[in-house]
Amino acid sequence: EVQLVESGGGLVQPGGSLRLSCAASGFTINNYWMMWVRQPPGKGLEWVANTNEDGRSKYYVDSVKGRFTISRDNAENALYLQMNNLRVEDTAVYYCAEKEGAVWGQGTTVTVSS
Amino acid sequence: DVVMTQSPLSLPVTLGQPASISCKSSQTLVHSDGNTYLNWFQQRPGQSPRRLIYKVSNRDSGVPDRFSGSGSGTDFTLKISRVEAEDVGIYYCRRSSYPYTFGQGTKLEIK
């Protein structure tokens, strides 16, 4: 079964950091661009970041540039999102997915609050 | 900024009746390779998104044939020929080139 499983979410104070992980099974991510998408409570989907197959090309939504870093470890079949200097408005469910959206994880919740 | 505008944002539909959702992009979605990269997603209550349609009109495996996508350039449409109860949820269009913007979402409910 093709599956993506996110982890690493939690409650963090403004200005803090979190690292999200996404473990893939049933398919090999090194053949695919991968992305992170988030969904604030009660709101729509927002694309956050993409990375290409070897991790050398990375793209970010303007609101996270300079604060978030997407990375991947193809040997571990895993995707990551390092989130620094977190803001209240970063509160959301974070999903990892294949770039075209064919495969999604179940999401992990990040809450930024004092 | 590239804006993806969906309409309507709320769509009450009677069971068995058709439904249609529009998605308009502020820029053409025709890629230099000649393909048009526009996908449609369904998000049922409490679930992760699920892709229904890719590259405008290609249905994903397991998606009922009552779902169809069409359009070109900047104007696209998702149609459901006969709405069923399991279709309740929010539908999003999304461009598959930078900046990978999603539409605001259209909430489909049963009237």
Side-chain angles (χ1 to χ4, degrees), chain A residues 33 35 37 39 43-47 50 59-60 62 65 95 98-102 104-107, chain B residues 1 37 39 41 43 47-51 54 60 90 92 94 96-104:
Chain A
W33 283 69
M35 68 177 175
V37 171
Q39 186 168 35
K43 296 190 177 181
L45 301 171
E46 179 183 40
W47 167 76
N50 274 1
Y59 299 90
Y60 300 93
D62 285 349
K65 283 179 182 175
Y95 297 98
E98 176 272 332
K99 172 181 162 282
E100 293 304 317
W104 292 74
Q106 85 290 348
Chain B
D1 280 4
Y37 293 94
N39 297 343
F41 299 89
Q43 189 175 30
Q47 295 188 13
S48 300
R50 165 200 183 196
R51 194 178 70 181
Y54 62 96
D60 273 277
I90 303 176
Y92 299 90
R94 196 205 74 162
S96 286
S97 55
Y98 186 81
Y100 306 103
T101 314
F102 285 91
Q104 317 99 301

XYZ file of all heavy atoms in Angstrom, chain A residues 33 35 37 39 43-47 50 59-60 62 65 95 98-102 104-107, chain B residues 1 37 39 41 43 47-51 54 60 90 92 94 96-104:
427
model
N 9.049 14.620 -7.422
C 8.992 15.863 -6.685
C 8.044 15.633 -5.507
O 7.047 14.923 -5.630
C 8.420 16.972 -7.559
C 9.338 17.571 -8.570
C 9.834 16.974 -9.691
C 9.808 18.918 -8.584
N 10.595 17.868 -10.396
C 10.594 19.075 -9.750
C 9.625 20.015 -7.741
C 11.224 20.268 -10.075
C 10.245 21.221 -8.070
C 11.036 21.329 -9.223
N 6.054 17.674 -1.935
C 5.653 18.992 -1.441
C 5.081 18.914 -0.029
O 4.714 17.847 0.455
C 4.613 19.608 -2.378
C 3.268 18.910 -2.385
S 2.091 19.789 -3.459
C 0.671 18.672 -3.374
N 1.989 20.922 2.089
C 0.790 21.755 1.975
C 0.228 21.912 3.380
O 0.270 20.968 4.166
C -0.252 21.098 1.048
C -1.584 21.848 1.087
C 0.283 21.024 -0.381
N -3.029 23.572 6.034
C -4.435 23.975 6.088
C -4.714 24.554 7.475
O -4.860 23.809 8.449
C -5.351 22.782 5.809
C -6.809 23.148 5.703
C -7.645 22.018 5.141
O -7.389 20.840 5.403
N -8.662 22.366 4.362
N -9.895 26.672 7.290
C -9.570 27.392 6.063
C -9.151 26.416 4.952
O -9.176 25.208 5.126
C -8.476 28.410 6.335
C -8.906 29.512 7.300
C -7.896 30.624 7.351
C -8.390 31.745 8.264
N -7.430 32.873 8.333
N -8.776 26.987 3.818
C -8.441 26.187 2.650
C -6.994 25.720 2.643
O -6.220 25.960 3.568
N -6.651 25.040 1.555
C -5.323 24.485 1.394
C -4.344 25.552 0.904
O -4.682 26.369 0.042
C -5.352 23.332 0.385
C -6.269 22.163 0.734
C -6.363 21.199 -0.444
C -5.778 21.450 1.973
N -3.129 25.510 1.436
C -2.075 26.432 0.996
C -0.805 25.638 0.725
O -0.278 24.977 1.626
C -1.791 27.509 2.043
C -0.685 28.472 1.616
C -0.331 29.503 2.671
O -0.280 29.154 3.871
O -0.072 30.666 2.294
N -0.313 25.717 -0.504
C 0.963 25.100 -0.819
C 2.065 25.827 -0.048
O 2.079 27.057 0.025
C 1.227 25.194 -2.322
C 2.633 24.870 -2.692
C 3.207 23.633 -2.756
C 3.664 25.807 -3.025
N 4.521 23.749 -3.115
C 4.831 25.062 -3.287
C 3.718 27.197 -3.119
C 6.040 25.662 -3.644
C 4.917 27.803 -3.479
C 6.065 27.032 -3.733
N 8.083 22.906 -2.235
C 8.349 21.764 -3.124
C 9.829 21.466 -3.134
O 10.652 22.376 -2.975
C 8.032 22.138 -4.582
C 6.608 21.944 -4.976
O 5.783 21.535 -4.187
N 6.317 22.249 -6.228
N 11.355 25.250 -3.788
C 10.497 26.408 -3.987
C 9.628 26.584 -2.743
O 9.209 25.598 -2.133
C 9.602 26.229 -5.218
C 10.378 26.057 -6.492
C 10.755 24.793 -6.931
C 10.747 27.151 -7.269
C 11.475 24.633 -8.099
C 11.458 27.000 -8.437
C 11.820 25.739 -8.846
O 12.537 25.581 -9.998
N 9.352 27.853 -2.410
C 8.600 28.152 -1.190
C 7.549 29.221 -1.472
O 7.750 30.116 -2.308
C 9.533 28.678 -0.103
C 10.630 27.724 0.303
C 11.884 27.770 -0.302
C 10.411 26.782 1.308
C 12.894 26.892 0.071
C 11.417 25.905 1.689
C 12.654 25.964 1.067
O 13.656 25.100 1.437
N 5.862 32.663 -0.477
C 6.561 33.852 0.030
C 6.527 33.960 1.559
O 7.500 34.382 2.181
C 5.948 35.117 -0.579
C 6.358 35.324 -2.030
O 7.275 34.609 -2.502
O 5.761 36.199 -2.686
N 9.445 31.914 3.196
C 10.822 32.033 2.704
C 11.727 32.588 3.796
O 11.387 33.567 4.468
C 10.865 32.938 1.473
C 10.376 32.274 0.206
C 10.415 33.234 -0.986
C 9.883 32.565 -2.236
N 9.786 33.508 -3.380
N 0.418 18.759 5.601
C 0.388 17.521 4.837
C 1.638 17.411 3.973
O 2.060 18.406 3.366
C -0.807 17.492 3.891
C -2.169 17.525 4.522
C -2.895 18.705 4.630
C -2.760 16.353 4.994
C -4.158 18.732 5.189
C -4.034 16.365 5.552
C -4.717 17.561 5.647
O -5.977 17.577 6.195
N 3.001 13.919 -2.736
C 3.680 13.936 -4.029
C 3.258 15.213 -4.734
O 2.114 15.661 -4.580
C 3.299 12.666 -4.792
C 3.838 12.571 -6.182
C 2.920 13.203 -7.191
O 1.699 13.248 -6.966
O 3.443 13.698 -8.217
N 4.141 15.842 -5.464
C 3.928 17.192 -5.988
C 2.637 17.350 -6.785
O 1.982 18.379 -6.708
C 5.110 17.619 -6.852
C 4.907 18.941 -7.619
C 6.115 19.248 -8.443
C 5.833 20.261 -9.537
N 5.135 19.685 -10.703
N 2.258 16.345 -7.529
C 1.029 16.461 -8.330
C -0.205 16.081 -7.528
O -1.318 16.116 -8.050
C 1.136 15.604 -9.585
C 2.193 16.110 -10.572
C 1.945 17.562 -10.970
O 0.791 17.939 -11.225
O 2.930 18.336 -11.005
N -0.005 15.696 -6.269
C -1.149 15.423 -5.408
C -1.734 14.040 -5.541
O -2.844 13.799 -5.058
N -1.008 13.107 -6.164
C -1.538 11.756 -6.325
C -1.537 10.987 -5.009
O -2.335 10.065 -4.826
C -0.728 11.000 -7.375
N -1.163 11.553 -0.630
C -1.150 12.485 0.505
C -0.998 11.711 1.811
O -1.466 10.576 1.931
C -2.470 13.264 0.577
C -2.708 14.234 -0.524
C -3.054 13.930 -1.814
C -2.658 15.655 -0.454
N -3.206 15.085 -2.541
C -2.974 16.161 -1.733
C -2.378 16.568 0.570
C -3.010 17.527 -2.013
C -2.422 17.932 0.290
C -2.731 18.402 -0.988
N -0.395 12.376 2.777
C -0.384 11.837 4.127
C -1.646 12.228 4.873
O -2.527 12.902 4.331
N -1.708 11.826 6.137
C -2.890 12.106 6.946
C -2.794 13.456 7.655
O -3.773 13.950 8.197
C -3.106 10.989 7.987
C -2.330 11.131 9.283
C -0.827 10.925 9.149
O -0.324 10.452 8.127
N -0.094 11.262 10.195
N -1.591 14.040 7.641
C -1.395 15.359 8.233
C -0.886 15.308 9.659
O -1.122 14.335 10.393
N 1.238 38.213 -8.224
C 0.750 36.946 -7.670
C -0.219 36.277 -8.635
O -1.018 36.940 -9.278
C 0.012 37.197 -6.347
C 0.968 37.370 -5.186
O 2.187 37.368 -5.432
O 0.491 37.498 -4.047
N -1.304 22.298 -16.816
C -1.191 21.618 -15.517
C -2.187 22.201 -14.517
O -1.887 23.131 -13.771
C 0.247 21.713 -14.999
C 1.211 20.924 -15.850
C 1.919 21.529 -16.883
C 1.378 19.558 -15.639
C 2.791 20.801 -17.677
C 2.246 18.822 -16.426
C 2.949 19.452 -17.441
O 3.797 18.723 -18.233
N -5.044 20.677 -11.688
C -5.577 19.504 -11.002
C -6.784 19.891 -10.150
O -6.916 21.038 -9.712
C -4.506 18.893 -10.097
C -3.294 18.378 -10.862
O -3.362 18.178 -12.076
N -2.205 18.167 -10.153
N -9.012 18.588 -6.667
C -8.948 17.776 -5.461
C -10.288 17.816 -4.727
O -10.998 18.821 -4.770
C -7.860 18.284 -4.513
C -6.478 18.234 -5.103
C -5.983 19.304 -5.834
C -5.692 17.112 -4.954
C -4.725 19.265 -6.394
C -4.422 17.050 -5.505
C -3.938 18.130 -6.232
N -11.843 17.142 -0.822
C -11.532 16.918 0.589
C -12.836 16.668 1.336
O -13.611 17.594 1.582
C -10.774 18.085 1.211
C -10.262 17.769 2.612
C -9.408 18.875 3.198
O -9.591 20.052 2.902
N -8.450 18.507 4.051
N -11.020 14.417 6.345
C -10.066 13.598 5.590
C -8.997 14.451 4.914
O -9.139 15.665 4.784
C -10.798 12.778 4.525
C -11.743 11.739 5.093
C -12.307 10.825 4.009
O -11.832 10.793 2.866
N -13.325 10.045 4.368
N -7.938 13.799 4.487
C -6.925 14.449 3.669
C -7.481 14.688 2.270
O -8.420 14.009 1.841
C -5.682 13.558 3.580
O -5.138 13.310 4.847
N -6.895 15.631 1.560
C -7.326 15.822 0.160
C -7.050 14.576 -0.661
O -6.161 13.764 -0.352
C -6.461 16.996 -0.302
C -6.066 17.704 0.945
C -5.906 16.630 1.975
N -7.801 14.468 -1.744
C -7.672 13.354 -2.686
C -7.726 13.945 -4.085
O -8.612 14.763 -4.364
C -8.828 12.386 -2.478
C -9.070 11.362 -3.588
C -10.495 10.835 -3.489
N -10.796 9.793 -4.472
C -12.025 9.407 -4.791
N -13.069 9.964 -4.201
N -12.207 8.450 -5.667
N -6.803 13.560 -4.934
C -6.860 14.082 -6.295
C -7.912 13.346 -7.118
O -8.000 12.118 -7.074
C -5.489 13.968 -6.974
C -5.380 14.789 -8.251
C -4.005 14.676 -8.862
N -3.781 13.332 -9.417
C -2.640 12.953 -9.998
N -1.624 13.793 -10.061
N -2.509 11.739 -10.483
N -6.274 15.225 -13.076
C -4.974 15.847 -13.323
C -4.864 16.267 -14.780
O -5.535 15.704 -15.650
C -3.817 14.917 -12.929
C -3.754 13.616 -13.709
C -2.938 13.480 -14.822
C -4.517 12.518 -13.319
C -2.884 12.295 -15.529
C -4.465 11.329 -14.018
C -3.646 11.221 -15.114
O -3.606 10.042 -15.819
N -8.343 10.318 -12.105
C -7.478 9.381 -11.385
C -8.154 8.021 -11.254
O -9.387 7.895 -11.338
C -7.148 9.936 -9.998
C -5.940 10.849 -10.023
O -4.813 10.311 -9.981
O -6.128 12.068 -10.095
N -15.257 19.605 0.180
C -14.751 20.835 -0.425
C -13.869 20.468 -1.607
O -13.030 19.566 -1.510
C -13.976 21.686 0.594
C -14.882 21.997 1.793
C -13.487 22.981 -0.049
C -14.197 22.755 2.912
N -11.158 21.711 -4.592
C -10.128 22.699 -4.871
C -9.526 22.460 -6.252
O -9.227 21.317 -6.610
C -8.978 22.608 -3.866
C -9.340 22.860 -2.420
C -9.736 21.821 -1.588
C -9.274 24.144 -1.879
C -10.045 22.044 -0.256
C -9.583 24.384 -0.550
C -9.965 23.323 0.250
O -10.277 23.559 1.574
N -6.049 23.501 -8.502
C -4.680 23.923 -8.188
C -3.828 23.885 -9.439
O -3.880 22.936 -10.212
C -4.032 23.021 -7.128
C -2.785 23.655 -6.494
C -1.819 22.647 -5.939
N -1.095 21.972 -6.999
C 0.043 21.302 -6.820
N 0.567 21.228 -5.617
N 0.639 20.696 -7.813
N -0.278 23.434 -11.281
C 0.872 22.579 -10.968
C 2.163 23.159 -11.500
O 3.045 22.425 -11.939
C 0.639 21.173 -11.518
O -0.308 20.516 -10.721
N 2.260 24.480 -11.490
C 3.525 25.145 -11.760
C 3.648 26.289 -10.767
O 2.636 26.738 -10.206
C 3.585 25.644 -13.199
O 2.486 26.462 -13.490
N 4.874 26.731 -10.516
C 5.103 27.767 -9.499
C 4.218 28.981 -9.767
O 4.097 29.406 -10.909
C 6.578 28.164 -9.497
C 6.928 29.119 -8.385
C 7.160 28.648 -7.108
C 7.005 30.484 -8.621
C 7.474 29.509 -6.080
C 7.317 31.358 -7.604
C 7.555 30.866 -6.337
O 7.855 31.725 -5.329
N 3.501 29.475 -8.746
C 3.591 29.201 -7.312
C 2.579 28.186 -6.768
O 2.257 28.247 -5.592
C 3.357 30.578 -6.698
C 2.417 31.239 -7.642
C 2.778 30.743 -9.002
N 2.132 27.245 -7.543
C 1.348 26.083 -7.106
C 0.107 26.467 -6.292
O -0.265 25.771 -5.352
C 2.223 25.115 -6.291
C 3.471 24.719 -7.028
C 4.699 25.286 -6.707
C 3.423 23.793 -8.073
C 5.850 24.941 -7.405
C 4.564 23.455 -8.768
C 5.769 24.033 -8.433
O 6.896 23.699 -9.128
N -0.533 27.540 -6.686
C -1.639 28.116 -5.928
C -2.889 27.248 -5.982
O -3.270 26.754 -7.047
C -1.985 29.495 -6.487
O -0.771 30.245 -6.682
C -2.891 30.255 -5.549
N -3.561 27.100 -4.837
C -4.869 26.460 -4.783
C -5.954 27.526 -4.928
O -5.764 28.693 -4.535
C -5.088 25.788 -3.427
C -4.342 24.502 -3.231
C -3.080 24.502 -2.669
C -4.917 23.290 -3.587
C -2.381 23.308 -2.477
C -4.233 22.100 -3.391
C -2.960 22.106 -2.842
N -7.099 27.111 -5.468
C -8.285 27.954 -5.386
C -8.779 27.998 -3.946
O -8.310 27.260 -3.087
N -9.772 28.860 -3.695
C -10.259 29.056 -2.318
C -11.062 27.870 -1.806
O -11.263 27.732 -0.594
C -11.183 30.288 -2.219
C -10.719 31.501 -2.958
C -11.428 31.604 -4.297
O -11.332 30.699 -5.133
N -12.114 32.707 -4.525
